[in-house]
Amino acid sequence: MIQMTLIQIDNYGPWTVTPCPRAEADLQILQSELYADLQRQFAAKGGLVFFTRFDNMLAVTNGVGAEDHLRIQKSIGNRYPITVSMGVGAAETPYEAQRKASAALQKYGGAQNEERKEILAIEGMVNPDESFVQIAHIDINGITDSLTDIIPAYDTSFIVNRVQHFLMKKLIEKGSLLFFIGGDNFMSPCNGLDPEGILKIIEEIEEEINIALKAGVGKAPSAEKAANLADLALEEIRGGFTYKLVHVMKE
Ligand SMILES: Nc1nc2c(ncn2[C@@H]2O[C@H](COP(=O)(O)OP(=O)(O)OP(=O)(O)O)[C@@H](O)[C@H]2O)c(=O)[nH]1
Ligand SMILES: [Mg+2]
């Protein structure tokens, strides 16, 4: 079972334009500092936050309890001009867990509801004995030599974005999620998707848009450990220790 948390800034839309539109640079600073802050706090408990759209972030939070969520929420409220609400859900697949987390929070009112403030809506949490996170770290082969050092930066970005779209489209059908984590890297919480399934997706993308990918997969009780194993598995592929395009490491 995987546990996911939706973190949503309360009434952010109206706040960004009240009393008049706030400087975009300041909103960008607020959003990136909030993301870094949440990442630091959830990571301290073994969780992993994805910036997603900054005003709504999704995190894998196996092992992060209700008290931890409340403490993080309160700390943000004490130090920022905004507050955050959270929804928590648990399920067999990441897609289903975030669906439940979203639905739990949506019950308390919308993202632009003036009354909704610092809600913690828990639909479900994962017990330690059934805690399981599978994360794939997916990466483009040789992007530096083939794109970064050859074509304009914006064009490379466009291609990375296109790869993201293709991956998202194929992974969602399997109940898996996909997040851009910077550079040519993506992370996919993908409980329930076997290595053959990931390989099939990678092969299809190579065929469809001629971009070669590889994936390190980690399996562990927490997001922190699963992501770390996924990174190590990716290094095994890079180091030529395996000829497979998908390499799995378990705790
Ligand atoms: N967030 C994150 N970014 C990374 C990581 N590894 C590399 N990057 C970023 O991705 C860029 C490309 O790095 P690589 O993927 O190692 O380079 P490459 O040329 O594609 O080489 P191979 O992937 O080994 O084929 C780097 O410049 C970094 O910005 C990682 O583990 N996490
Ligand atoms: Mg790469």
Side-chain angles (χ1 to χ4, degrees):
M1 291 271 275
I2 185 167
Q3 176 179 308
M4 296 210 51
T5 301
L6 164 65
I7 305 146
Q8 189 171 78
I9 306 181
D10 292 317
N11 205 24
Y12 185 52
W15 184 85
T16 63
V17 291
T18 305
C20 59
R22 297 172 197 258
E24 189 52 40
D26 289 338
L27 297 176
Q28 292 300 313
I29 292 164
L30 171 72
Q31 289 173 196
S32 46
E33 287 184 349
L34 179 65
Y35 164 60
D37 204 314
L38 288 164
Q39 187 70 274
R40 197 172 286 127
Q41 296 195 67
F42 276 101
K45 297 286 169 187
L48 184 63
V49 184
F50 296 102
F51 54 72
T52 320
R53 43 174 278 193
F54 290 101
D55 60 345
N56 287 250
M57 296 179 231
L58 287 165
V60 178
T61 56
N62 293 53
V64 189
E67 286 300 317
D68 298 323
H69 281 80
L70 284 171
R71 198 177 300 118
I72 294 170
Q73 212 169 30
K74 196 160 188 187
S75 176
I76 297 297
N78 281 338
R79 295 180 291 113
Y80 286 79
I82 47 83
T83 56
V84 294
S85 285
M86 299 185 191
V88 187
E92 295 290 336
T93 68
Y95 180 83
E96 191 56 17
Q98 65 79 37
R99 191 192 64 73
K100 288 178 171 176
S102 305
L105 183 55
Q106 284 159 357
K107 271 190 211 141
Y108 285 85
Q112 304 206 351
N113 179 329
E114 278 174 40
E115 266 90 72
R116 199 201 73 186
K117 200 180 165 212
E118 286 187 319
I119 296 295
L120 176 60
I122 300 177
E123 197 274 346
M125 290 193 132
V126 174
N127 298 322
D129 57 332
E130 53 180 6
S131 188
F132 176 69
V133 180
Q134 179 177 310
I135 287 179
H137 183 163
I138 306 173
D139 169 285
I140 300 178
N141 288 345
I143 193 170
T144 314
D145 292 340
S146 63
L147 300 171
T148 311
D149 293 345
I150 309 284
I151 65 171
Y154 189 79
D155 301 49
T156 302
S157 246
F158 189 16
I159 292 170
V160 171
N161 210 278
R162 185 142 181 262
V163 172
Q164 178 176 8
H165 182 88
F166 271 74
L167 280 168
M168 286 174 94
K169 205 169 141 190
K170 291 174 189 295
L171 285 164
I172 200 170
E173 289 169 15
K174 311 290 180 192
S176 298
L177 309 176
L178 186 88
F179 301 97
F180 177 58
I181 57 166
D184 65 344
N185 297 257
F186 308 96
M187 270 200 176
S188 171
C190 56
N191 289 40
L193 180 56
D194 55 24
E196 291 74 27
I198 300 172
L199 181 62
K200 186 164 175 281
I201 288 174
I202 286 180
E203 288 174 344
E204 282 174 10
I205 291 180
E206 165 116 58
E207 220 161 85
E208 289 163 22
I209 55 174
N210 196 29
I211 295 285
L213 300 167
K214 56 185 168 299
V217 182
K219 301 179 179 204
S222 73
E224 178 188 17
K225 288 178 187 156
N228 180 236
L229 288 168
D231 295 346
L232 294 172
L234 194 61
E235 284 306 300
E236 293 276 303
I237 304 173
R238 283 208 179 105
F241 299 107
T242 169
Y243 291 108
K244 293 177 290 182
L245 287 178
V246 179
H247 185 58
V248 184
M249 286 178 77
K250 291 183 209 142
E251 196 188 57

